[in-house]
Amino acid sequence: MTEAIRAIYENGVLRPLTPLNLSDRQTVWLTVSPEPFPQAIASLLQPLYDSGLLTGTVASYLPPLSDADLEVMVRSIQITGEPLSETIIEDRGEW
């Protein structure tokens, strides 16, 4: 099983922010990368990670953006009750 999880580093220890399906004292391999989004954006994405709709890291799919750019992007999308994919297609307009 391979999964990407969020964790917080406190007092020299990485603490997962969600429960893990591991045995006590089980050895695992870690790949550590800083959170790619400001905390506000990460908290918006957390329900998607929790539901399994979003896995891994999103940073590899996005160009480098500032925190302000990301916040403008998220706030500019007006979800209309349609599936999110339809809202994005509608928002981007004709190609």
Side-chain angles (χ1 to χ4, degrees):
M1 166 190 72
T2 300
E3 66 180 301
I5 61 157
R6 291 180 63 223
I8 189 165
Y9 185 73
E10 294 178 319
N11 302 318
V13 176
L14 283 170
R15 182 177 54 84
L17 296 177
T18 56
L20 300 175
N21 187 21
L22 298 171
S23 303
D24 193 36
R25 303 187 56 81
Q26 180 177 346
T27 301
V28 297
W29 286 86
L30 297 176
T31 301
V32 178
S33 59
E35 190 166 57
F37 301 106
Q39 186 59 38
I41 303 298
S43 65
L44 291 173
L45 296 177
Q46 190 59 45
L48 296 175
Y49 281 107
D50 293 343
S51 69
L53 293 173
L54 190 59
T55 60
T57 61
V58 181
S60 59
Y61 302 109
L62 296 175
L65 298 170
S66 70
D67 291 353
D69 291 336
L70 287 170
E71 288 186 37
V72 167
M73 283 174 49
V74 169
R75 290 181 188 184
S76 69
I77 297 174
Q78 300 297 317
I79 299 176
T80 61
E82 297 288 326
L84 182 57
S85 58
E86 294 298 320
T87 301
I88 292 170
I89 291 168
E90 182 181 308
D91 189 56
R92 77 173 179 217
E94 293 289 324
W95 277 47

